[in-house]
Amino acid sequence: MNFLKMKTSWSNAEFIILKLCVASAYVLVGAYFRNFFRQNYLPVLIIFGITCTWAVYLWIRKMRSDN
């Protein structure tokens, strides 16, 4: 399974395609399961807040280490 250990470098333009793919999948899942997400709105919002804060922290730490 060396495929999972390989490292690559993506440009911002190439990464946009991946982001659009994931975002469209989220929209499709949200449209299909709208009643489920309406009932579980608060846990999903809490998970979003935690992961968003974590991602911003990792991004800032990476930006500081590059300088």
Side-chain angles (χ1 to χ4, degrees):
M1 297 300 287
N2 290 333
F3 175 74
L4 298 175
K5 294 181 181 180
M6 292 184 346
K7 294 183 180 180
T8 62
S9 178
W10 291 49
S11 70
N12 287 337
E14 294 168 335
F15 203 55
I16 289 172
I17 302 300
L18 180 64
K19 287 182 178 182
L20 286 174
C21 176
V22 171
S24 63
Y26 286 153
V27 168
L28 288 172
V29 168
Y32 190 75
F33 294 108
R34 65 179 177 263
N35 291 330
F36 173 78
F37 287 113
R38 187 177 299 146
Q39 293 170 355
N40 298 308
Y41 182 73
L42 187 59
V44 171
L45 185 62
I46 290 170
I47 291 171
F48 169 75
I50 291 170
T51 56
C52 185
T53 304
W54 189 1
V56 169
Y57 167 74
L58 292 173
W59 178 48
I60 290 172
R61 191 175 75 179
K62 180 179 169 74
M63 296 300 284
R64 286 184 181 169
S65 69
D66 287 344
N67 290 333

